[in-house]
């Protein structure tokens, strides 16, 4: 009876044509059983058979003369219950394979035969077949249940969408018919039907299905939204950029379901030995018969030797770990990577966008002369009000946080890469690089006040009013708030080396490394230098994980033992180039991943040990007649359930992380300063 090895099962669509059910041809089948076309039949078959067997007991107890009726009823029950088991075994034999199915079939046939020759009882044969079928049901249902838990994690996208026609009226269309370029309207409470960009309106979105982050993200016109996320507030119009299975959600779903089918190295080893296992048990059965001539013992030996607990050991743990990870927005594409993540002892981080947010923020306000800080900020932010430059965004962000009301600029003019000029409340204001002020005739004595080094990643803008410099503003790329804590946790988890590589100047890299307590930092890296750095580390015997945002570090991600892409929700490249994709930017997911993979390995080993002990003890007990066929069948189910429940503990992992929200990551930000070496592709 079978264990559907979750990892080698076909992706069953519900409309799958059961007639053309192909079975995997990979050597000995690791299932102890039936092909899945039976799993629909099983429940009613098991119930119907059980009714006949029960009837046989009832007739025997209440009517002394009813023995023939009881026999017929028991026989019918045994046939109904035993039929699917025997059919599967015959199919296997015709394909020239000897699998565990045959053990069960022989046990059921032996019980049946002993009843036919008057030695045993049809009721016994029926009960054994019944418990084996129930065991099979538990396992298929576990497989399906695990599947469904993953499916429900990836909340399916809505089936309908409100598309706007040319005359701005709404028409309801199936989501599958949406095309790139369509404009759809999303009302509060609606799930988004396709990936797209907001054209008008603003709203707050729950993106937990994609990123695993529980707090809502605020979005406005120009921001990207993902299929399967839910709009909580506001009416928006969205222009579709990816539809159908192309959406981020569609990709995520395909990847998770594909991961479930990949195999662990240990599973492949188990598969290889299954071909020897069945003949071995048959030999043990023959020896028991030779020495005892007790058919009941032989039946018990065959039933107890079904290694279902053993075969379920890995798949159940894997699926539990996959769903715990998926809930937190961690996509693992190949199950074997869970095994690999447990061995990782070195992490290499890319700096920009990974350890830092990739966005400029104001760190210093330096008024000169008698100017006040608030005045400096007011003039600078007002003059930059209509600029899209990262410095302008940093200034307006600070002004809104400090509650400084902006004035309306007149005669606004921007010179790319230099600065802006505007009239504010009747004053002529200049904001920009030092050279821009000099070009406009501002005396250059203001440079003496600068005590920051631009090579350390500071971006400076100077502000002049009516031809006099009134101060300057220093900005830098912010490190992520949780970076320091995450690196400390990795160290606690036993990671030996943590390094940072960056395309920025060495001084910038060293400053960031200092802030987050990362002992190794290498600046001035082109993509190929990052790859060399990773290879050198691997050559020293480290198992290396590379973490980047998947844009310009795809080669480095591929060079590590494991490549982890951060913030992959909107990036195709990241989802494809990495072995593991983090759909959000929370660095604390990394220590969690290391711990999860270690717990998974532990659970699998516990399951295997239990499975082995179970079979060894069970075989001995059956051979010496301590347990009969029925007890063996019940124990067999208990063993499977123990393994399933042990694995299920993994599903709860990481619940404490679900309610933590780091700074919301914006869609790919523009480079923080124009002269940067790391080109970020938008």
């Amino acid at each position: 009876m079978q264990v559907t090895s979750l990892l080698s099962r076909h992706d069953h669509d519900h409309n799958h044509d059961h007639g053309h059910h192909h079975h995997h041809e990979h050597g000995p089948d690791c299932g102890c059983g039936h092909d899945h076309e039976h799993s629909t039949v099983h429940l009613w078959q098991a119930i119907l058979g059980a009714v006949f067997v029960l009837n046989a007991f009832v007739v025997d107890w209440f009517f002394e003369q009813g023995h023939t009726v009881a026999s017929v009823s028991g026989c019918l029950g045994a046939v109904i219950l035993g039929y699917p088991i025997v059919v599967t075994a015959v199919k296997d034999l015709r394909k020239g394979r000897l699998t565990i199915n045959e053990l069960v079939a022989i046990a059921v046939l032996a019980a049946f035969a002993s009843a036919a020759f008057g030695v045993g009882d049809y009721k016994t044969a029926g009960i054994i077949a019944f418990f084996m079928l129930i065991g099979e049901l538990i396992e298929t249902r576990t497989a399906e249940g695990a599947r469904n838990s993953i499916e429900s994690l990836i909340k399916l996208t809505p089936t309908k969408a409100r598309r706007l026609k040319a005359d701005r009226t709404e028409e309801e269309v199936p989501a599958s018919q949406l095309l790139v370029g369509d404009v759809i309207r999303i009302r509060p409470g609606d799930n988004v039907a396709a990936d797209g960009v907001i054209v008008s309106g603003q709203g707050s979105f729950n993106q937990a299905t994609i990123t695993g982050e529980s707090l809502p993200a605020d979005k406005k016109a120009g921001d990207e939204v993902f299929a399967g996320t839910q709009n909580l507030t506001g009416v928006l119009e969205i222009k579709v950029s990816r539809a159908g299975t192309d959406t981020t959600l569609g990709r995520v779903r395909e990847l998770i379901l594909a991961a479930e089918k990949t195999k662990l190295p240990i599973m492949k080893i188990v598969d290889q030995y299954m071909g020897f296992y069945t003949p071995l048990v048959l030999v043990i059965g023959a020896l028991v018969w030779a020495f005892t001539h007790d058919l009941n013992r032989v039946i018990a030996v065959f039933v107890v030797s079904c290694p279902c607990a053993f075969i379920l050991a890995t798949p159940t743990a894997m699926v539990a770990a996959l769903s715990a990870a998926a809930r937190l927005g961690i996509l693992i594409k190949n199950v074997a990577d869970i095994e690999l993540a447990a061995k990782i002892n070195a992490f290499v981080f890319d700096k920009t966008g990974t350890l830092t947010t990739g966005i400029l923020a104001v760190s210093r306000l330096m008024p000169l002369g008698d100017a006040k800080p608030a005045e400096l900020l007011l003039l600078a932010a007002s003059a930059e009000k209509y600029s899209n430059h990262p410095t302008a965004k940093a200034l307006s962000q600070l002004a809104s946080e400090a509650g400084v009301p902006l004035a309306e600029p007149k005669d606004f003019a921007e010179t790319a890469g230099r600065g802006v000029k505007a009239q504010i409340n009747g004053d002529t204001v200049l904001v920009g690089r030092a050279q821009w002020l000099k070009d406009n005739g501002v005396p250059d004595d203001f440079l003496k006040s600068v005590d920051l080094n631009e090579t350390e990643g500071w971006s400076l803008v100077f502000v002049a009013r009516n031809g006099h410099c009134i101060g300057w503003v220093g900005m830098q790329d912010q490190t992520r708030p949780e970076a320091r804590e995450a690196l400390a946790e990795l160290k606690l988890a036993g990671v030996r080396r943590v390094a940072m590589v960056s395309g920025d100047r060495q001084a910038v890299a060293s400053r960031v490394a200092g802030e987050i307590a990362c002992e190794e930092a290498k600046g001035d890296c082109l993509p190929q230098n990052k790859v060399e750095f990773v290879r050198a580390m691997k050559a020293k015997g480290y198992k290396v994980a590379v973490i980047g945002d998947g844009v310009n570090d795809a080669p480095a991600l591929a060079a590590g033992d494991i490549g982890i892409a951060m913030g992959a929700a909107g990036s195709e490249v990241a989802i494809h180039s990495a072995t593991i994709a983090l759909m959000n930017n929370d660095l604390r997911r990394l220590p969690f991943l290391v711990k999860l993979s270690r717990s998974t390995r532990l659970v699998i080993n516990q399951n295997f040990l239990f499975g082995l002990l179970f079979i060894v003890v069970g075989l001995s007990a059956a051979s010496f007649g301590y347990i009969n066929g029925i007890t063996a069948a019940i124990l067999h189910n208990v063993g499977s359930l123990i393994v399933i429940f042990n694995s299920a503990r993994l599903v709860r992992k990481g619940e404490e992380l679900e309610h933590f929200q780091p700074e919301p990551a914006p869609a790919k930000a523009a480079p923080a300063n124009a002269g940067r070496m790391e080109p970020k592709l938008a």
Side-chain angles (χ1 to χ4, degrees), residues 382-434:
S382 300
E384 291 266 26
K385 190 171 178 183
Y386 294 118
S387 166
N388 274 327
H389 195 272
T391 55
K393 290 185 181 145
L395 285 165
S396 70
Q397 175 77 21
L398 181 64
S400 68
E401 279 168 17
V404 174
L406 299 188
E408 189 62 31
K410 295 198 172 65
D411 306 333
F412 169 82
E414 182 169 16
T415 307
R418 311 291 296 279
V420 299
K421 185 182 201 168
Q423 294 284 333
I424 292 171
N425 303 338
D427 296 328
T428 303
V429 177
L430 297 167
V431 183
R433 297 183 182 276

Side-chain angles (χ1 to χ4, degrees), residues 298-559:
V298 179
I299 293 169
V301 164
F302 287 159
V303 172
V304 87
S305 63
C306 252
C308 289
F310 191 71
I311 288 175
L312 274 174
T314 317
T316 50
M318 280 310 161
V319 171
L322 272 179
S323 49
R327 194 179 62 238
L328 288 174
I330 302 171
L331 272 196
I332 299 165
K333 294 195 213 169
N334 185 339
V335 179
D337 293 327
I338 293 187
E339 187 91 281
L340 195 53
K343 303 188 184 115
I344 293 292
N345 53 13
F347 275 80
V348 176
F349 289 90
D350 170 51
K351 179 181 82 73
T352 310
T354 305
L355 290 173
T356 66
T357 55
I359 307 155
L360 275 186
V362 176
S363 301
R364 282 282 294 277
L365 268 180
M366 186 75 186
L368 300 177
D370 55 2
K372 303 269 186 305
E375 188 183 6
L376 176 67
L377 180 60
L378 170 87
L379 292 175
S382 300
E384 291 266 26
K385 190 171 178 183
Y386 294 118
S387 166
N388 274 327
H389 195 272
T391 55
K393 290 185 181 145
L395 285 165
S396 70
Q397 175 77 21
L398 181 64
S400 68
E401 279 168 17
V404 174
L406 299 188
E408 189 62 31
K410 295 198 172 65
D411 306 333
F412 169 82
E414 182 169 16
T415 307
R418 311 291 296 279
V420 299
K421 185 182 201 168
Q423 294 284 333
I424 292 171
N425 303 338
D427 296 328
T428 303
V429 177
L430 297 167
V431 183
R433 297 183 182 276
Q435 191 58 45
W436 170 245
L437 269 66
K438 289 182 206 164
D439 292 351
N440 283 284
V442 179
D444 63 357
D445 52 353
F446 59 83
L447 284 171
K448 291 198 281 293
S449 65
V450 178
D451 57 356
L452 294 179
N453 184 351
E454 286 221 37
T455 57
E456 284 187 14
W458 287 91
S459 193
L460 300 184
V461 280
F462 296 88
V463 185
R465 178 174 56 195
N466 298 334
H468 285 285
C469 182
I470 58 162
W472 50 265
V473 184
M475 289 172 258
Q476 57 189 157
D477 185 7
Q478 300 298 85
T479 52
R480 289 195 185 281
E482 77 282 8
R484 195 183 179 107
E485 177 196 349
L487 294 194
E489 275 190 46
L490 283 175
K491 279 270 186 266
L492 282 175
V495 173
R496 301 216 302 272
R497 258 178 93 175
V498 177
M500 179 183 89
V501 291
S502 172
D504 264 354
R505 291 176 289 260
Q506 185 62 48
V508 184
S510 306
R511 173 183 67 78
V512 172
E515 280 179 31
I516 56 173
C518 168
E519 69 267 8
E520 221 177 322
K522 191 171 186 321
D524 300 309
C525 286
L526 293 168
Q528 62 266 33
N529 305 122
K530 294 181 187 177
V531 172
E532 284 153 18
F533 183 82
V534 173
R535 288 204 177 123
M537 207 180 237
K538 277 169 78 171
K540 290 188 187 137
Y542 286 100
K543 287 266 179 244
V544 185
V546 181
I547 297 88
D549 57 2
V551 177
N552 61 348
D553 29 36
L557 288 178

Side-chain angles (χ1 to χ4, degrees), residues 109-121:
L109 287 174
F112 199 84
S114 67
F117 293 121
V119 186
D121 192 340

Side-chain angles (χ1 to χ4, degrees), residues 1-2 32-34 38 42 45 78-92 100-109 125-134 136:
M1 138 221 131
Q2 120 162 12
C32 41
H34 313 324
H38 291 305
H42 281 160
Q45 237 175 344
V79 168
I80 292 171
L81 291 163
Y83 171 77
I85 297 176
V86 176
V87 167
T88 310
V90 171
K91 274 190 187 172
D92 271 350
I100 304 127
N101 303 328
E102 282 69 63
L103 294 178
V104 189
I106 292 171
V108 171
L109 287 174
I127 292 173
I128 291 175
F130 174 72
F131 277 115
M132 295 320 256
L133 267 191
I134 287 296
E136 148 102 19

Side-chain angles (χ1 to χ4, degrees), residues 494-639:
V495 173
R496 301 216 302 272
R497 258 178 93 175
V498 177
M500 179 183 89
V501 291
S502 172
D504 264 354
R505 291 176 289 260
Q506 185 62 48
V508 184
S510 306
R511 173 183 67 78
V512 172
E515 280 179 31
I516 56 173
C518 168
E519 69 267 8
E520 221 177 322
K522 191 171 186 321
D524 300 309
C525 286
L526 293 168
Q528 62 266 33
N529 305 122
K530 294 181 187 177
V531 172
E532 284 153 18
F533 183 82
V534 173
R535 288 204 177 123
M537 207 180 237
K538 277 169 78 171
K540 290 188 187 137
Y542 286 100
K543 287 266 179 244
V544 185
V546 181
I547 297 88
D549 57 2
V551 177
N552 61 348
D553 29 36
L557 288 178
D561 292 293
I562 284 188
I564 302 176
M566 291 260 303
S571 156
E572 304 292 301
V573 191
I575 290 184
H576 289 295
S577 61
T579 37
I580 295 178
L582 299 186
M583 301 310 278
N584 61 18
N585 290 313
D586 182 359
L587 287 163
R588 304 189 329 166
R589 303 292 201 248
L590 296 171
F592 165 73
L593 180 65
V594 173
K595 289 177 198 153
L596 175 73
S597 54
R598 289 182 184 166
S599 317
T600 308
R601 198 164 63 173
L602 183 69
V603 164
I604 289 174
N605 291 341
Q606 289 166 350
N607 287 351
F608 265 125
L609 275 172
F610 171 76
L612 271 175
L613 270 171
F614 187 84
I615 288 174
V616 171
V617 172
L619 272 175
S620 317
S623 306
F624 293 109
Y626 294 120
I627 53 177
N628 63 13
I630 293 176
T631 319
I634 294 170
L635 282 177
H636 167 273
N637 284 343
V638 171

